[in-house]
């Protein structure tokens, strides 16, 4: 288990990224890079033959190599899927936050506009002046001219005699 943990940890190591990018650029692509890598393993290691003292018990040494390659591939594929999912979730969360902020901002603007409109109407009612709004003159907001609450009339002054 320690050996697998070391392999997994080393797969996260980015110190070889520059070297691999340089190699990929020189061989012009991923397929040639893989061929170069497996060629290195074929020429300089026992990767395809298996260790000299191994008894494969009827299994081909190349099957062991395939298993190791597929295990490494699957570890990296799983990490790639997890990373993509994290990035998608982060984008979705950011989008939700942005939409929430936008709605809050719109609600504040609407509330401020409504408050301003109420203040304008109150002011125009208090002054008895009818102001023209965006839709023209709005006489609906004026007090009813028919006296529902008649104010007591002051007695008329007596006529002047000369």
């Amino acid at each position: 288990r320690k050996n697998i943990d070391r392999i997994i940890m080393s797969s996260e190591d980015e110190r070889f990224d520059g070297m691999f990018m340089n190699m990929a650029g020189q061989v012009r692509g991923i397929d040639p890079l893989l061929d170069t890598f497996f060629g290195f393993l074929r020429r300089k290691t026992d990767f395809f033959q298996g260790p000299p003292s191994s008894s494969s018990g009827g299994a081909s040494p190349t099957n062991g190599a395939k298993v190791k390659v597929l295990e490494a591939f699957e570890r990296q594929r799983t990490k790639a899927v997890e990373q993509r999912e994290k990035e998608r979730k982060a984008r979705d969360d950011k989008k939700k936050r942005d939409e929430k902020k936008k709605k809050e901002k719109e609600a504040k603007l609407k509330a401020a506009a409504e408050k301003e409109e109420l203040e304008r109407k109150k002011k125009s009612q208090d002054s008895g002046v009818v102001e023209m709004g965006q839709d023209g003159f709005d006489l609906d907001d004026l007090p009813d001219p028919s006296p529902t609450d008649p104010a007591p009339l002051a007695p008329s002054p007596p006529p002047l005699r000369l």
Side-chain angles (χ1 to χ4, degrees), residues 93-141:
D93 290 347
K94 183 182 184 314
K95 185 178 178 181
K96 286 178 185 177
R97 283 191 311 271
D98 291 348
E99 287 174 0
K100 183 178 177 183
K101 284 180 184 178
K102 183 179 177 182
K103 285 180 182 180
E104 288 173 353
K105 185 177 179 180
E106 288 172 354
K108 284 180 183 179
L109 289 173
K110 184 178 179 181
E114 288 173 355
K115 182 179 177 185
E116 188 177 305
E117 180 67 18
L118 285 174
E119 288 174 2
R120 185 189 64 77
K121 285 181 180 181
K122 182 179 178 187
K123 188 177 181 182
S124 69
Q125 286 176 353
D126 290 346
S127 67
V129 175
V130 178
E131 293 184 10
M132 188 166 98
Q134 292 177 340
D135 299 333
F137 289 106
D138 186 6
L139 302 177
D140 293 337
D141 295 333

Side-chain angles (χ1 to χ4, degrees), residues 27-85:
V27 296
R28 302 197 191 288
I30 293 175
D31 289 343
L33 177 65
L34 291 173
D35 284 338
T36 301
F37 180 70
F38 283 111
F40 164 76
L41 292 176
R42 176 183 47 82
R43 291 185 319 274
K44 302 294 183 177
T45 71
D46 62 354
F47 183 74
F48 291 102
Q49 289 81 29
S53 64
S54 74
S55 58
S56 58
S60 162
T62 56
N63 283 342
K66 283 181 184 179
V67 168
K68 294 210 177 287
V69 168
L70 291 175
E71 286 173 351
F73 173 83
E74 191 58 33
R75 279 192 304 271
Q76 295 305 315
R77 187 194 67 78
T78 300
K79 289 178 184 182
V81 168
E82 290 171 355
Q83 181 180 355
R84 252 193 333 265
E85 183 60 27

